[in-house]
Amino acid sequence: MITIPYLTALTTYFSYGLLFAFGQIRDLFRKILDRLRSSNLQGYAPICLGLEDFYVRRLYLRIQDCFGRPISSAPDAWFDVVERYSNDNNKTLKRTMKISRCLNLGSYNYLGFAASDEYCTPRAIESLKKFSPSTCSTRVDGGTTVLHAELEECVANFVGKPAAIVFGMGYVTNSAILPVLIGKGGLIISDSLNHNSIVNGARGSGCHSTPSHLEEVLREQIAEGQPRTHRPWKKIIVVVEGIYSMEGELCNLPEIIAVCKKFKAYTYLDEAHSIGAVGKKGRGVCELLGVDPADVDIMMGTFTKSFGSCGGYIAGSKELIQYLKYTCPAHLYATSISPPAAQQIISSIKVILGEDGSSRGLKPMSGLSGYDLSCICSHIGAQKLARIRENSNFFRSELQKMGFEVLGDNDSPVMPIMLYNPAKIPAFSRECLKRNVAVVTVAFPATPLLLARARICISASHTKEDLIKGLEVISQVGDLVGIKYFPAEPKKQEEEGRVKLE
Ligand SMILES: *[C@@H]1O[C@H](CO)[C@@H](O)[C@H](O)[C@H]1NC(C)=O
């Protein structure tokens, strides 16, 4: 639950109201003008959806320079952002030849595998030569290389499940699996903060999984049964995420599992942002929160973040994975994951587990000054894991000390800084970019209307100097834009005078 200062809520509503009103007036004039000009589309319904189209034209396009910025290098700790210009008030943006080298605080490059890696990159290149960028086939007809088989074993072993199946796209992993797992008469209870891929795969009943609320919902649903007929639900699956990508919050897995067991509901855990990023050995929230993976029925995750690759996996019992291989459309009809991408995942998991041979003759990671992890960490993977935890906790606590409103839990590498007001979205993003710090801002519809934010993602590849530079810039811009909502005592957040939002 987030609380907003009354004044901020008021001005934020007012800003959106104003934007909306002006947008409507401009649309009205546009309609009148369109009438006057004869059009050959008369009689057709508009091809773009009404309100979405309005939102895009009148709100999003005004600040579109803050999104989709082209990058011309690997998404490492620093990367090259291509400069764009416009001669029509940013309605159309054109790329220039100029680039600016920016500190990257936006990519999900948690362990730093997204850039060239001493161990992974040569192996990925080898596999590119031996296989090809694409298998040009689905998994069932010619698209299963030895790499795919090895990858599935490697992933199952890594997450601690008997078997796993991999897909070429992370998003599809959720959106294609859920419909196969649940049919008529089944109920999916989906956390209200779940990713769009889950929402699209499910018809969620919105509840953010505080365990007590989940218990309430389960009890009610089991008592009520299916709508109209009131027959009992055939199957109930509770879907939660390990780390919520917009909130940086960890799920309360041990208690959720306890509730699910009590009601005999299955648990489906999406570890897109937590696998590889948290836990002593990078094994995700189960390891971090002391949950036995055997207690989670379906484990899902993506390779697009910590492993620096693409695609996703489902891990579970042998029967479940076998069933999915016979039924899941993403396995049967979609092209299998690209072999170099598969090799990248296999190699990065080896590094994380210390099976890359780096424990012999280990030299500290470059730029490790400021920490002394080399003596306690026996291999590069362990160094990376220690580093992302240190980096995240350092960055989060410094931001809080500066007076920002930062969401999420300790140990989470995702940290949203609340902006609230729509005018502050482009202001924050542009001012940071001017100072060579690239940040991601998120607003409606990805978040509730009032809760626009900047989302910082910390990486193990950030050095202490990088983090300090980032903090300096964010602090400066924070003063400029006015988003230090807790200037005096960050810990004692005043609850009075704030609007509660679920
Ligand atoms: C257009 O984008 C640039 C670069 O982000 C920004 O500085 C400028 O204020 C924008 N102009 C308008 C009219 O929004």
Side-chain angles (χ1 to χ4, degrees):
M1 197 176 67
I2 300 168
T3 61
I4 313 179
Y6 273 121
L7 193 62
T8 308
L10 203 70
T11 53
T12 304
Y13 270 130
F14 182 74
S15 306
Y16 277 111
L18 209 61
L19 279 168
F20 188 80
F22 271 104
Q24 288 290 346
I25 293 170
R26 294 175 69 173
D27 266 18
L28 185 73
F29 280 107
R30 197 170 96 144
K31 239 180 235 160
I32 295 170
L33 280 178
D34 276 354
R35 272 280 149 79
L36 295 181
R37 287 189 220 130
S38 62
S39 154
N40 54 2
L41 281 180
Q42 222 127 49
Y44 285 89
I47 198 156
C48 302
L49 290 179
L51 204 58
E52 275 82 356
D53 181 46
F54 176 80
Y55 184 81
V56 168
R57 278 183 295 109
R58 299 300 179 204
L59 281 83
Y60 178 81
L61 286 187
R62 302 179 72 130
I63 57 170
Q64 67 162 333
D65 59 292
C66 303
F67 305 95
R69 292 186 181 123
I71 306 299
S72 63
S73 71
D76 205 1
W78 287 76
F79 64 176
D80 296 330
V81 179
V82 178
E83 288 176 20
R84 293 181 292 182
Y85 77 96
S86 172
N87 38 27
D88 55 2
N89 277 332
N90 293 350
K91 257 188 224 137
T92 49
L93 296 162
K94 296 199 180 71
R95 290 194 306 279
T96 66
M97 297 304 283
K98 272 191 279 178
I99 54 155
S100 68
R101 190 88 183 140
C102 292
L103 179 64
N104 178 4
L105 293 180
S107 303
Y108 309 128
N109 176 25
Y110 298 138
L111 293 182
F113 284 115
S116 177
D117 182 90
E118 220 172 275
Y119 184 82
C120 303
T121 309
R123 285 167 176 78
I125 292 173
E126 263 321 295
S127 73
L128 177 63
K129 288 183 193 156
K130 184 167 173 197
F131 299 93
S132 89
S134 169
T135 61
C136 302
S137 288
T138 69
R139 285 294 301 277
V140 283
D141 17 75
T144 300
T145 66
V146 284
L147 282 180
H148 293 84
E150 186 184 345
L151 175 61
E152 287 178 341
E153 273 165 38
C154 173
V155 168
N157 168 39
F158 183 65
V159 302
K161 280 287 190 190
I165 177 174
V166 298
F167 303 94
M169 186 183 176
Y171 185 95
V172 157
T173 311
N174 276 328
S175 60
I177 283 290
L178 282 165
V180 181
L181 285 179
I182 205 133
K184 216 170 165 226
L187 174 69
I188 293 174
I189 298 181
S190 167
D191 193 293
S192 58
L193 298 177
N194 276 346
H195 190 253
N196 175 277
S197 56
I198 298 175
V199 178
N200 266 349
R203 228 160 247 262
S205 82
C207 82
H208 181 43
S209 49
T210 54
S212 61
H213 188 194
L214 177 63
E215 175 150 7
E216 213 175 282
V217 171
L218 273 170
R219 195 185 292 281
E220 207 174 275
Q221 288 297 334
I222 289 173
E224 279 282 317
Q226 299 181 32
R228 268 187 326 110
T229 58
H230 296 291
R231 287 205 200 109
W233 293 107
K234 288 188 185 150
K235 185 191 316 183
I236 300 181
I237 301 183
V238 173
V239 188
V240 293
E241 288 186 33
I243 291 180
Y244 291 92
S245 59
M246 288 298 161
E247 319 292 315
E249 195 180 303
L250 292 165
C251 79
N252 192 341
L253 196 59
E255 288 180 49
I256 287 167
I257 297 219
V259 174
C260 287
K261 276 189 172 172
K262 185 169 162 189
F263 293 95
K264 306 248 182 300
Y266 289 110
T267 40
Y268 181 113
L269 174 65
D270 174 340
E271 293 225 74
H273 288 269
S274 49
I275 193 72
V278 299
K280 197 151 177 292
K281 293 193 173 134
R283 291 191 153 105
V285 281
C286 285
E287 190 179 42
L288 182 70
L289 304 174
V291 171
D292 183 353
D295 285 339
V296 181
D297 301 290
I298 303 138
M299 298 188 51
M300 178 272 172
T302 60
F303 304 122
T304 51
K305 292 145 187 128
S306 304
F307 309 99
S309 186
C310 64
Y313 68 85
I314 296 280
S317 67
K318 285 213 161 83
E319 297 75 36
L320 172 73
I321 300 307
Q322 201 54 253
Y323 168 72
L324 291 178
K325 286 192 172 174
Y326 289 126
T327 52
C328 184
H331 182 79
L332 302 174
Y333 304 117
T335 303
S336 62
I337 184 170
S338 159
Q343 181 59 57
Q344 163 74 19
I345 304 160
I346 297 171
S347 303
S348 59
I349 290 180
K350 286 207 169 125
V351 174
I352 295 171
L353 292 175
E355 291 168 5
D356 55 334
S358 68
S359 51
R360 292 181 299 262
L362 178 74
K363 47 182 196 310
M365 274 167 68
S366 58
L368 208 64
S369 60
Y371 301 103
D372 199 10
L373 305 172
S374 48
C375 56
I376 41 168
C377 299
S378 53
H379 56 85
I380 288 179
Q383 279 185 9
K384 283 177 178 287
L385 282 160
R387 184 85 168 271
I388 187 169
R389 191 168 53 242
E390 292 240 357
N391 278 355
S392 304
N393 290 344
F394 169 71
F395 208 82
R396 177 184 299 277
S397 74
E398 290 300 308
L399 284 177
Q400 280 165 343
K401 273 186 222 155
M402 288 171 182
F404 289 104
E405 185 168 4
V406 187
L407 305 187
D409 293 309
N410 267 342
D411 282 357
S412 155
V414 183
M415 47 200 88
I417 302 175
M418 296 311 293
L419 302 172
Y420 298 117
N421 202 294
K424 297 187 181 187
I425 303 168
F428 185 78
S429 175
R430 286 170 188 162
E431 290 301 324
C432 284
L433 192 68
K434 263 188 213 159
R435 293 165 175 79
N436 293 83
V437 172
V439 294
V440 167
T441 49
V442 202
F444 184 81
T447 68
L449 194 62
L450 288 191
L451 303 182
R453 62 199 64 179
R455 185 184 51 187
I456 307 294
C457 291
I458 294 300
S459 164
S461 62
H462 288 130
T463 63
K464 191 104 184 197
E465 295 78 61
D466 294 341
L467 298 182
I468 289 169
K469 148 104 188 171
L471 285 164
E472 275 169 10
V473 166
I474 290 177
S475 178
Q476 260 178 37
V477 175
D479 285 328
L480 195 70
V481 178
I483 51 167
K484 292 187 175 170
Y485 293 105
F486 299 118
E489 280 171 283
K491 284 289 160 212
K492 278 195 199 133
Q493 305 189 350
E494 283 280 339
E495 288 297 325
E496 279 164 49
R498 294 170 77 83
V499 193
K500 291 199 167 108
L501 269 189
E502 292 255 15

